[in-house]
Amino acid sequence: MATHARPLAPAPETMDIPPPDILFGRSASMRQVRLKLERIGATNVPVLLTGESGTGKELLARMLHRQSNWAAGPFVKVNCPAIPGTLLESELFGFEKGAFTGAHASKPGRIEQADGGTLFLDEIGELELGLQAKLLQLLQDNCFMRLGGRQEVRAHTRMLCATNRRLQAEVDSGRFRRDLYYRINVVSLEVPPLRDRREDIELLAEYFIKEFSTRFQRPAPPLTPNLLSALQQYGWPGNVRELENMMKRYVVLGAAEELRQQLYLLPRDPQTVAATEPAPDGTLSLKKVTRYAVQELEREIILKTLEANQWNRKRTARALRISYRALLYKLKEAGLPARSSLGEGDAGKEES
Ligand SMILES: Nc1ncnc2c1ncn2[C@@H]1O[C@H](COP(=O)(O)OP(=O)(O)OP(=O)(O)O)[C@@H](O)[C@H]1O
Ligand SMILES: [Mg+2]
């Protein structure tokens, strides 16, 4: 009889909040976040979460909901950019029968669904000005109108917003209402990027390996010193989400060595990568792009030569026809480790 592989557990509907020691790690910057979160406690004030994509804004919003007076109520998330402009209004505020073609029956919006709970508006900076005005009214009076409606609807919700844009700049340029900004930003919580909290990488990587090996019923592959050092030196433009996905792949595919090499070859620093993208005014510095491209190429060649010479730096320098000192400098500049610490090749031995 054919044996059937056990199906993988379906992805959970809601995000699991990891235990606090994982969620906050041990970095000083996350300790600040934790302290602020504790101070906000059950106050129910609107909070604006800022930070790059993948830093954990939604997790923290769920945490804020859980510790609030609205915890027994629903947590309703609206991902503003995911819903096209015209639909967003009906999605948020709901509509009455006949409000537009195809509105065969009235429907409550997400705000009504969040009554008695938390409304989490993700990427609030994407909201167009008309909707910003409606939202402001909701925040001021706890009431709003459905699309095509004539009666005001009341809803009491705690509002949490997130953005990975600099909302203050949007306010200054007139794309975001100043009055709304002050209303949603009673308290702001800035979540640091992963590259600024490298002390937490080991803890998080171990946590994800354990989680995914349980979820996928696979043995947990080891977090070798070598791999860990590569993880710690990488720039993480996708932050914790990128680390999480990488560890998922590692649990499924194994291959620590491949992963390590791939990490060294990935562009590291988002700021360096940004140098290759046009500025807001459409200009692009050829000088910067060229410098970046040369650096990346140099990095790749150094890495390959190091690997070919079992990480013996003296031989690598000779092979590249540069001085030993120049190689050490370039390694540092390229964010490459001085040695592979593989335990193979020359890692522990005297170089000759
Ligand atoms: N401190 C953390 N501990 C464990 N997992 C985390 C942590 N921070 C983020 N994650 C995980 O990383 C992923 C991204 O987190 P989240 O969605 O909260 O980020 P975000 O800041 O809202 O990102 P975006 O701006 O792209 O919406 C999630 O799968 C989350 O579970
Ligand atoms: Mg998010």
Side-chain angles (χ1 to χ4, degrees):
M1 218 166 72
T3 52
H4 295 282
R6 276 177 76 172
L8 296 180
E13 276 287 306
T14 52
M15 222 185 255
D16 266 345
I17 304 179
D21 56 328
I22 300 294
L23 182 62
F24 300 105
R26 38 188 158 207
S27 57
S29 52
M30 283 305 279
R31 184 153 359 105
Q32 292 308 316
V33 170
R34 186 179 196 161
L35 284 175
K36 202 157 188 185
L37 215 89
E38 281 167 5
R39 256 181 282 140
I40 297 167
T43 57
N44 299 336
V45 291
V47 178
L48 177 66
L49 295 121
T50 59
E52 291 176 15
S53 182
T55 46
K57 297 185 292 296
E58 185 175 339
L59 268 188
L60 293 170
R62 289 183 185 278
M63 188 87 182
L64 278 163
H65 170 68
R66 197 174 278 185
Q67 71 181 25
S68 73
N69 293 336
W70 311 85
F75 178 91
V76 177
K77 173 190 164 183
V78 181
N79 186 1
C80 299
I83 307 168
T86 46
L87 271 181
L88 187 56
E89 182 170 7
S90 59
E91 190 67 29
L92 269 175
F93 297 93
F95 53 85
E96 295 295 347
K97 186 177 171 181
F100 47 85
T101 346
H104 300 303
S106 56
K107 191 179 168 233
R110 304 272 184 104
I111 293 169
E112 276 170 84
Q113 288 168 11
D115 193 17
T118 298
L119 180 68
F120 175 50
L121 296 177
D122 207 357
E123 288 316 317
I124 179 99
E126 301 283 326
L127 221 59
E128 52 157 81
L129 285 162
L131 287 184
Q132 290 175 25
K134 272 188 100 160
L135 206 60
L136 183 67
Q137 193 206 351
L138 174 72
L139 273 160
Q140 281 167 341
D141 312 326
N142 292 315
C143 66
F144 64 93
M145 280 223 248
R146 285 180 176 179
L147 240 80
R150 299 219 181 88
Q151 272 181 348
E152 293 202 315
V153 182
R154 300 198 73 79
H156 289 271
T157 70
R158 200 268 181 96
M159 186 102 76
L160 297 177
C161 301
T163 177
N164 61 33
R165 289 205 208 171
R166 284 186 45 242
L167 213 49
Q168 179 68 59
E170 304 282 301
V171 171
D172 293 340
S173 64
R175 280 191 297 267
F176 201 86
R177 290 182 69 119
R178 192 172 297 274
D179 43 10
L180 181 60
Y181 177 66
Y182 290 135
R183 283 266 173 183
I184 60 170
N185 191 18
V186 176
V187 174
S188 65
L189 200 66
E190 195 177 335
V191 193
L194 189 55
R195 64 179 173 283
D196 290 348
R197 45 180 291 224
R198 292 183 190 273
E199 312 90 296
D200 297 336
I201 291 174
E202 180 173 5
L203 203 80
L204 285 167
E206 272 168 355
Y207 169 75
F208 290 134
I209 291 176
K210 205 166 123 244
E211 283 293 299
F212 291 124
S213 64
T214 310
R215 198 186 303 172
F216 300 144
Q217 295 161 7
R218 294 280 174 97
L223 190 58
T224 60
N226 231 359
L227 180 57
L228 181 61
S229 128
L231 293 176
Q232 274 164 342
Q233 303 202 35
Y234 177 55
W236 301 110
N239 293 297
V240 186
R241 180 181 292 115
E242 190 180 6
L243 177 63
E244 182 179 19
N245 287 334
M246 205 173 271
M247 293 304 103
K248 190 188 287 176
R249 216 162 53 226
Y250 183 39
V251 168
V252 174
L253 303 175
E257 198 46 27
E258 248 169 63
L259 184 58
R260 188 176 68 87
Q261 293 194 11
Q262 195 191 340
L263 273 164
Y264 286 141
L265 291 175
L266 282 171
R268 303 138 293 148
D269 188 347
Q271 270 135 4
T272 333
V273 179
T276 62
E277 281 161 14
D281 65 0
T283 60
L284 186 63
S285 157
L286 182 63
K287 221 167 159 183
K288 271 193 195 165
V289 174
T290 313
R291 199 189 318 139
Y292 170 78
V294 169
Q295 266 174 7
E296 285 301 307
L297 185 65
E298 203 176 89
R299 189 167 194 276
E300 194 178 327
I301 292 170
I302 292 176
L303 183 70
K304 283 190 178 145
T305 316
L306 275 168
E307 298 278 349
N309 287 285
Q310 289 80 44
W311 287 74
N312 181 310
R313 292 167 299 175
K314 288 219 166 116
R315 266 188 273 140
T316 302
R318 276 200 295 273
L320 292 170
R321 295 199 198 167
I322 54 173
S323 72
Y324 182 62
R325 279 180 61 120
L327 177 68
L328 292 189
Y329 177 78
K330 282 184 185 295
L331 285 177
K332 200 163 163 239
E333 196 186 47
L336 289 167
R339 29 186 90 231
S340 85
S341 62
L342 241 188
E344 64 174 45
D346 72 336
K349 289 184 234 150
E350 283 285 299
E351 286 180 299
S352 53

